[in-house]
Amino acid sequence: MGEETKVSKAQQKAVHKYVKTHYDRINVTMQKGRREVIQAHAAAQGESVNAFINRAIMEAMERDKATGAPQEGKA
């Protein structure tokens, strides 16, 4: 790619602490091969995989609200 940026251990620790404090983490498991398809799709949209997944989730939630699909805590 390009030049690699050297990041100090202190910087890594600070970023990790910030992320841990300000973000929730969700692990997703999927069938082998799907990750590459998702990565390619996200790249084609000019997004990171994380941004694409977040957008897809938010769009699905909005669509579910609009169609009257069951909401959280309601079955």
Side-chain angles (χ1 to χ4, degrees):
M1 275 193 172
E3 287 185 35
E4 290 186 30
T5 304
K6 298 275 184 183
V7 180
S8 72
K9 295 272 188 200
Q11 286 173 309
Q12 289 175 353
K13 188 174 178 179
V15 169
H16 178 73
K17 181 179 177 182
Y18 179 86
V19 169
K20 189 174 180 180
T21 303
H22 293 89
Y23 293 94
D24 287 326
R25 213 166 184 67
I26 298 174
N27 292 323
V28 178
T29 304
M30 60 189 65
Q31 293 176 328
K32 290 260 185 205
R34 287 191 69 199
R35 178 178 60 187
E36 291 79 13
V37 172
I38 292 167
Q39 286 173 326
H41 180 82
Q45 300 302 310
E47 296 177 298
S48 67
V49 171
N50 190 65
F52 167 66
I53 290 171
N54 275 292
R55 180 173 61 84
I57 290 168
M58 295 309 294
E59 287 177 5
M61 289 171 61
E62 287 298 318
R63 193 169 49 248
D64 289 349
K65 263 193 240 178
T67 62
Q71 298 294 307
E72 180 182 338
K74 300 177 185 174

